[in-house]
Amino acid sequence: MSDYLYQTTQQYFGQLAGGSESCGEQELKALGASKIRRSYLGCYFCADQRTLYNIVYKTRIFSRILAPLIAFDCHSEKYLYKTAQNIDWSDFLTLTKTLAVTANVAKSNIRNSQYAGRILKDAIVDQFREKTTKRPDVDTRFPDLLLNLYVYENKARISVDLGGGSLHKRGYRTESVEAPMQETLAATLLQLADWNGERPLYDPFCGSGTILCEAFMRAGNVPASYLRKKFGFLRLPDFDAAVWNQIKTKANNETKDIPDDLIRGSDLNPEAVKAVRANRAELPEIGTLKVRRSDFQSLEGFENTVIVTNPPYGIRLGNTEQVTGLLKDFGDFLKQKCTGSTAFIYYGDKTLVKKLGLKPEWRHELRAGGLDGVLCRYQLY
Ligand SMILES: C[S@@+](CC[C@H](N)C(=O)[O-])C[C@H]1O[C@@H](n2cnc3c(N)ncnc32)[C@H](O)[C@@H]1O
């Protein structure tokens, strides 16, 4: 077994959505990482093995954590193939395990990401075939080994995806209605809102309950990957099952009970309410998450509550005129019925901010899942 880059440097890369960098950095610090350096759509950081498993298991903000195997200058497809074959892939795979490759290529002689990914995959399966006449299968949905190839300005890096797939897929979303937000985005909203379960939280446009479920996990200290069945780090040659079991057991024992009425929400659509209940049922039995069918206009109002929500926006839901009217009415509702509360509103479309008729105290741009949105904070006096 050779020394791979992550072993000699103990350095990893966490990928996140644009605008979440400060939250990612904060989270890495809290989870024990060192030498954290922000970069484009992510952060580099150093961690020992124990800390690394802890980060992959608990991160709410990062969508991928990558362990680099090699980095090299790469000007052609041929050289990519040849260099990838220098790795002994039996360190990571056997014939009974499956693999997949994700690739991102930019500003390089190699132009096509998909093709570049295929070359890496070919180099791996050809190596097995030459040695054994057989090859491991590809499984793009649930691979045992997920590799990431990144080529930027003709510099290539091959990494193992330690989550084995995007970490935003927590595993609780068994049902959804239109326009659910990414779980990592909902977690970022809660972190920017600095909500830690001290004040009641309400989402009046809860949809399938992503914000509510993330709030539930956050308040109950439930590891973000609690329901995840496979992890990519299990395929690393130095994977230590004893250390991983200790980390997992300790984290699972640190969940805490959630007081009644702490986390609540509603939605106009009865299917949404059904979806929230189904999704909540996937999470551990540490408290309640109350949800009901209601138009926000019929709600009695909120005192001393943290409202975190993602109202409809024109791009995906409804037409712009309808959305404009709804936001104006929601602004009036906040002004008239929510004194003493704080509202955090994520607009999937930045042009909608002015429609609320309230001046935000601050705004934070966040891009995720194809949305170029903004989170605004309102203190309601
Ligand atoms: C952008 S979606 C929320 C998505 C949610 N954050 C999630 O992750 O699933 C907006 C939601 O507002 C709901 N909605 C629309 N008009 C409403 C109204 N007047 N009162 C309450 N909910 C409403 C829709 O049914 C939809 O589920």
Side-chain angles (χ1 to χ4, degrees):
M1 190 181 85
S2 35
D3 277 345
Y4 294 106
L5 201 53
Y6 76 88
Q7 292 171 315
T8 51
T9 60
Q10 294 208 323
Q11 194 190 51
Y12 303 89
F13 182 71
Q15 258 181 23
L16 39 63
S20 309
E21 292 84 353
S22 58
C23 289
E25 188 176 0
Q26 233 178 16
E27 187 185 53
L28 283 173
K29 254 186 221 155
L31 293 174
S34 60
K35 297 185 190 156
I36 305 163
R37 181 165 57 83
R38 282 198 218 175
S39 176
Y40 176 62
L41 296 182
C43 294
Y44 290 95
F45 65 92
C46 288
D48 59 23
Q49 189 182 51
R50 186 170 283 276
T51 310
L52 181 71
Y53 294 171
N54 199 40
I55 290 170
V56 179
Y57 194 42
K58 291 185 181 169
T59 178
R60 303 191 195 281
I61 307 291
F62 288 93
S63 54
R64 294 184 194 276
I65 305 290
L66 302 175
L69 304 181
I70 48 168
F72 53 100
D73 288 336
C74 182
H75 291 84
S76 70
E77 280 107 0
K78 207 167 155 190
Y79 192 72
L80 170 62
Y81 182 89
K82 192 166 150 263
T83 312
Q85 280 221 325
N86 290 340
I87 293 179
D88 181 353
W89 290 103
S90 66
D91 282 350
F92 302 90
L93 270 177
T94 62
L95 287 168
T96 58
K97 300 287 177 198
T98 56
L99 91 143
V101 176
T102 55
N104 313 89
V105 171
K107 294 191 186 170
S108 299
N109 292 356
I110 302 179
R111 289 178 182 279
N112 186 313
S113 296
Q114 222 181 343
Y115 185 51
R118 215 168 74 210
I119 289 172
L120 173 55
K121 188 258 309 164
D122 286 348
I124 299 167
V125 299
D126 289 353
Q127 187 184 77
F128 275 91
R129 216 187 263 128
E130 277 153 28
K131 283 190 193 157
T132 66
T133 71
K134 294 197 178 96
R135 50 157 285 182
D137 286 332
V138 169
D139 177 352
T140 49
R141 274 167 58 81
F142 303 109
D144 295 302
L145 177 69
L146 179 61
L147 294 166
N148 177 267
L149 169 68
Y150 179 68
V151 190
Y152 186 72
E153 293 184 340
N154 296 315
K155 294 198 184 314
R157 200 168 56 208
I158 298 174
S159 309
V160 173
D161 184 323
L162 299 181
S166 181
L167 296 166
H168 82 266
K169 292 183 184 155
R170 310 282 202 231
Y172 59 71
R173 189 182 283 161
T174 54
E175 286 186 31
S176 66
V177 286
E178 69 265 66
M181 62 166 40
Q182 273 190 1
E183 295 84 336
T184 37
L185 174 61
T188 304
L189 303 188
L190 293 164
Q191 182 148 332
L192 286 168
D194 204 16
W195 183 80
N196 289 313
E198 295 90 10
R199 288 163 81 196
L201 179 139
Y202 200 97
D203 180 355
F205 300 97
C206 69
S208 19
T210 321
I211 293 171
L212 298 177
C213 288
E214 288 299 316
F216 187 88
M217 291 180 98
R218 190 176 162 102
N221 209 21
V222 179
S225 285
Y226 183 82
L227 297 171
R228 193 171 205 60
K229 299 208 171 62
K230 266 187 186 176
F231 289 90
F233 58 70
L234 306 183
R235 302 306 322 150
L236 293 179
D238 51 4
F239 168 65
D240 189 326
V243 171
W244 165 226
N245 281 330
Q246 276 170 17
I247 294 289
K248 192 173 165 174
T249 309
K250 182 169 182 290
N252 291 354
N253 287 337
E254 284 171 354
T255 56
K256 37 184 203 192
D257 287 345
I258 297 173
D260 272 353
D261 292 336
L262 183 69
I263 302 166
R264 295 177 303 145
S266 50
D267 197 284
L268 187 59
N269 179 357
E271 290 304 310
V273 174
K274 211 172 119 248
V276 182
R277 291 194 178 127
N279 296 339
R280 153 68 190 91
E282 299 295 318
L283 294 168
E285 288 302 324
I286 49 171
T288 54
L289 189 165
K290 288 195 183 148
V291 65
R292 63 182 156 141
R293 188 201 159 269
S294 175
D295 187 320
F296 78 85
Q297 305 257 33
S298 316
L299 297 171
E300 59 286 0
F302 305 105
E303 261 176 41
N304 192 27
T305 296
V306 179
I307 298 161
V308 186
T309 197
N310 166 218
Y313 43 89
I315 305 169
R316 289 199 201 165
L317 296 179
N319 65 39
T320 315
E321 249 169 62
Q322 270 173 334
V323 170
T324 300
L326 180 140
L327 283 176
K328 190 192 163 299
D329 291 345
F330 185 49
D332 292 344
F333 170 83
L334 291 174
K335 273 184 265 186
Q336 289 155 15
K337 295 190 174 171
C338 301
T339 25
S341 293
T342 318
F344 293 87
I345 302 180
Y346 180 73
Y347 302 86
D349 171 356
K350 284 189 280 198
T351 61
L352 294 175
V353 175
K354 52 185 181 300
K355 312 283 186 203
L356 194 77
L358 279 168
K359 196 170 176 299
E361 277 181 317
W362 58 244
R363 45 184 287 153
H364 189 111
E365 297 197 0
L366 284 167
R367 294 172 295 284
L371 294 180
D372 189 7
V374 62
L375 176 70
C376 294
R377 180 187 200 273
Y378 305 88
Q379 188 58 52
L380 305 162
Y381 299 104

